[in-house]
Amino acid sequence: MARLPVLIDTDPGVDDAWALLMAFASPDHEVVGLTVTAGNVGLAHTVRNALRLCEVAGVDVPVFPGCADPLVFPAEDAAYVHGRDGFGDTGYLPPARKPEAEHAALAMVRLSHAHPGLLLVCLGPLTNLALALRLDPTLPARIGRLVVMGGAVTGQGNTSVSAEFNIAFDPEAAHVVFEAFPAYDLVDWEAVLRHGIPHADVERWLEAPGPKAAFYKAISRRTREWSEDRRGTHWHSADGLAMAAALAPDGATGWVRHALAVETGGRLARGATVVDWGGRSGRPARARILLGYDPGRFRALLAGALGVPTGSDPPA
Ligand code: BDR
Ligand code: CA
């Protein structure tokens, strides 16, 4: 059977890196490009990280540099989580490969024509996609499914009290995207918190043979230490959960559809994703929000991406 084309917009990022390895490892999908944005760290780093990760994974996927800044207002990166270079400051070997000359937003539009029905997975701030939508408002008609990692659907954020990082980094872009797509799937931060993986299991998987686990072990070391210190016994793979829901939607155990709006002003809640739980707004219910995902399936996708042999991981 033909593999489903998938385009990934990303800001790697330790978290993104694992999700990208999941996509590269999927036998049912063909990654047709990585469009890269600033977010976790600056664009020069996120592009370089994407290129290096492709080399480590042994995949020949074009990398398109996109927006270096949010659409309107400057935002703070997450170097305190991912390291100054976004990949744990390990001083890894610079990539030999070069990025494409085409801008990420233009590549999105072009690839949507080349692969109508494309699966689009967004793992970072939505700046590139918002720009692509302004260039070509007909874009959603050629996207088979949009999956976004972002938001905090009851206002329990991770970057501010009420906002999640990807949306808070560029709320105007998120507004453009969520108003343009008639339907999209959302994997929010609060879902991520319900799907933690014990650090002990992650550490065992990182001993898998081969370059992917070794590389990921090195680049994630500081983030794992930070995470254990700040969030306790479990690792939270936000982009990984979104990628699981994107690649294997049958692993989802529940979704709910609601209208959603992004707070772009606000003194306390800029970047918050305001969900119309009670159906009061009369606005269309475009967001399909992930409620749960099969833990065994999630673990298998995560472990497999690192090269852990199938069946060798004890069940959750
Ligand atoms: C999101 O923010 C980033 O730090 C991660 O890569 C993920 O996409 C989680 O809020
Ligand atoms: Ca990300």
Side-chain angles (χ1 to χ4, degrees), residues 9-13 15-17 40 82 122-125 149 164-166 238-239:
D9 191 64
T10 177
D11 61 332
D15 190 29
D16 299 69
N40 283 321
H82 299 262
C122 293
L123 304 176
M149 190 286 126
E164 179 279 333
F165 178 81
N166 287 342
D239 296 332

Side-chain angles (χ1 to χ4, degrees), residues 22-49:
M22 290 165 74
F24 297 153
S26 171
D28 305 323
H29 296 82
E30 180 199 358
V31 183
V32 297
L34 301 181
T35 52
V36 179
T37 181
N40 283 321
V41 289
L43 187 70
H45 286 303
T46 54
V47 169
R48 191 171 178 267
N49 293 346

